Amino acid sequence: MSRPAKAYIDLLALRHNCELANSLAPNSRTMAIIKANAYGHGVLPVARALEPLVPAFGVTCLEEAIELREGGITKPVCLLEGTFSDDEIPLAAELGFWLSVVNKQQQQSILRASLKTPVTVWICVDSGMHRLGIAVDDIESTYRMLAASRNVASDIVIATHFACADELASDLTYRQLQQFKAGVASLANADTVPLSLDNSAGLLGWPETHADWNRPGIMLYGSSPFSVPHAEADRLQPVMTLRSSVIALRDVPVGDSVGYGARWSAQRPSRIATVAIGYGDGYPVHAPDGTPVLVNKQRCSMVGRVSMDMITVDVTDLPTVAVGDEVILWGKGLSVNEVAGCAGTISYELLTRMPRRVPRVYSG
């Protein structure tokens, strides 16, 4: 009998979300972002499920890309942060990886590398997020030097990243779009250079920013990038359901406390269920009293401080609860966004930091 804490991964829902992404921009190509172990979902099963649906994948670094090749994935893989040392470039070229150029140092490293095969390059442009990327004013010179190099394939892509696409009332996305377009317009072949702008929020919420390539990430896993209801995002299906079981029940009299620090005390005679899940399993340690969980598909409140391996739940209003009953921490029936909001974080963090000790169980 194994510990009941498990992450159930619905690959049918994953493919549904990818097909939705494809349908929102039918004239674009989709690069599925599967960095950070596919946002905690397991990179190889996710990549295998998505490979028939997308022409390319995006990861953070060479190590993540190599894992895909060793797992049998043959589609192009883009290193979204480029390379971190010059010796990575020949290996990336040999394995058919695409390289982002996020600064002039990476550009020069590619130009002076000794390569047998040219690499496809994505020029990352800083249009206003001020994190990575070359300056808008440097687009023309960067493109010209790379395009003239034998080390670079002819299909150069120019990309940028939006800072506030998840805030539909913000005007920063429009300003970034205009900055980016103005910089690209400096190219002699501006009308034919492939462009990439959209992450999940851009793809879902900003149709005017759809370009030749889109880069959906969080939406593939069924989590909305928005904090408010959204017609397209509400069509997403959760892929991960974090599930465990009740392992103990006890009656707590009025005034007695539960858990470390005695944070929560019973205000009425209470029935408390102990659940085999904790921050060692990726459940947020900062989840406050009242964070919802589903016990036998009924909403209950988590009470008391989260432990490494356990949480406690007030099931006073569910008199039939028994040891072994199912508990859902997030997923089908309980949005990971809601749980993240209670804990003062975002769904991206809860999903991507899911530890390896929680078995993934795949279906579909």
Side-chain angles (χ1 to χ4, degrees):
M1 180 70 71
S2 63
R3 188 165 180 265
K6 294 179 175 65
Y8 292 81
I9 310 299
D10 185 346
L11 298 177
L12 286 177
L14 176 76
R15 287 189 284 266
H16 163 85
N17 298 334
C18 186
E19 288 168 349
L20 175 61
N22 292 341
S23 71
L24 291 173
N27 297 319
S28 305
R29 287 172 284 181
T30 297
M31 175 185 288
I33 305 304
I34 56 173
K35 60 185 179 178
N37 196 29
Y39 288 50
H41 292 68
V43 69
L44 288 177
V46 165
R48 290 166 184 154
L50 294 181
E51 194 167 24
L53 302 179
V54 299
F57 294 106
V59 298
T60 297
C61 58
L62 185 65
E63 291 85 353
E64 290 182 336
I66 288 173
E67 183 179 0
L68 291 171
R69 284 289 182 266
E70 291 178 344
I73 301 301
T74 60
K75 288 282 178 73
V77 182
C78 184
L79 311 187
L80 297 172
E81 292 182 5
T83 53
F84 299 97
S85 61
D86 290 357
D87 62 338
E88 292 184 342
I89 297 172
L91 180 58
E94 178 185 344
L95 294 174
F97 301 148
W98 297 351
L99 297 182
S100 294
V101 170
V102 304
N103 55 48
K104 291 186 177 181
Q105 290 80 8
Q106 288 180 344
Q107 172 193 329
Q108 291 303 315
S109 294
I110 291 173
L111 293 176
R112 64 173 177 258
S114 177
L115 303 181
K116 297 178 181 178
T117 306
V119 294
T120 293
V121 168
W122 281 51
I123 299 173
C124 178
V125 176
D126 179 8
S127 61
M129 189 170 184
H130 301 320
R131 191 176 62 173
L132 289 177
I134 65 167
V136 169
D137 292 343
D138 291 335
I139 291 177
E140 193 278 333
S141 61
T142 302
Y143 183 92
R144 177 166 34 83
M145 284 187 281
L146 288 168
S149 172
R150 293 182 179 181
N151 283 345
V152 178
S154 60
D155 51 348
I156 298 173
V157 179
I158 303 180
T160 196
H161 196 68
F162 292 131
C164 295
D166 58 331
E167 300 176 19
L168 296 172
S170 172
D171 66 352
L172 181 56
T173 299
Y174 285 117
R175 288 189 277 124
Q176 283 192 251
L177 178 62
Q178 295 309 312
Q179 287 262 18
F180 182 72
K181 284 184 173 180
V184 172
S186 65
L187 300 174
N189 58 337
D191 292 339
T192 60
V193 175
L195 307 177
S196 177
L197 296 91
D198 281 342
N199 56 4
S200 293
L203 179 56
L204 287 161
W206 303 81
E208 61 273 45
T209 64
H210 296 173
D212 301 281
W213 283 93
N214 298 311
R215 310 182 307 274
I218 194 67
M219 70 174 292
L220 298 178
Y221 308 101
S223 179
S224 171
F226 307 118
S227 60
V228 296
H230 183 276
E232 300 297 351
D234 290 347
R235 297 167 60 190
L236 297 170
Q237 297 178 5
V239 176
M240 178 190 292
T241 297
L242 182 61
R243 191 184 304 169
S244 191
S245 298
V246 174
I247 60 171
L249 287 160
R250 69 195 62 250
D251 295 313
V252 176
V254 173
D256 276 16
S257 62
V258 172
Y260 286 120
R263 183 179 75 181
W264 181 87
S265 297
Q267 302 301 304
R268 59 175 178 167
S270 300
R271 186 78 162 157
I272 300 298
T274 302
V275 180
I277 200 82
Y279 60 77
D281 307 295
Y283 195 78
V285 68
H286 297 298
D289 297 334
T291 300
V293 300
L294 299 182
V295 180
N296 292 338
K297 297 183 171 57
Q298 302 297 310
R299 285 176 71 101
C300 298
S301 294
M302 196 276 295
V303 297
R305 189 181 297 175
V306 175
S307 303
M308 184 182 294
D309 311 305
M310 291 172 279
I311 63 170
T312 42
V313 178
D314 186 349
V315 294
T316 307
D317 297 325
L318 298 179
T320 62
V321 171
V323 170
D325 283 355
E326 178 189 82
V327 179
I328 290 176
L329 292 311
W330 63 68
K332 293 182 179 178
L334 178 60
S335 168
V336 66
N337 281 17
E338 182 178 0
V339 177
C342 290
T345 185
I346 55 177
S347 64
Y348 301 72
E349 182 185 12
L350 296 189
L351 297 175
T352 59
R353 72 178 188 177
M354 183 60 53
R356 293 189 181 274
R357 88 160 178 172
V358 178
R360 276 63 164 177
V361 180
Y362 295 91
S363 64

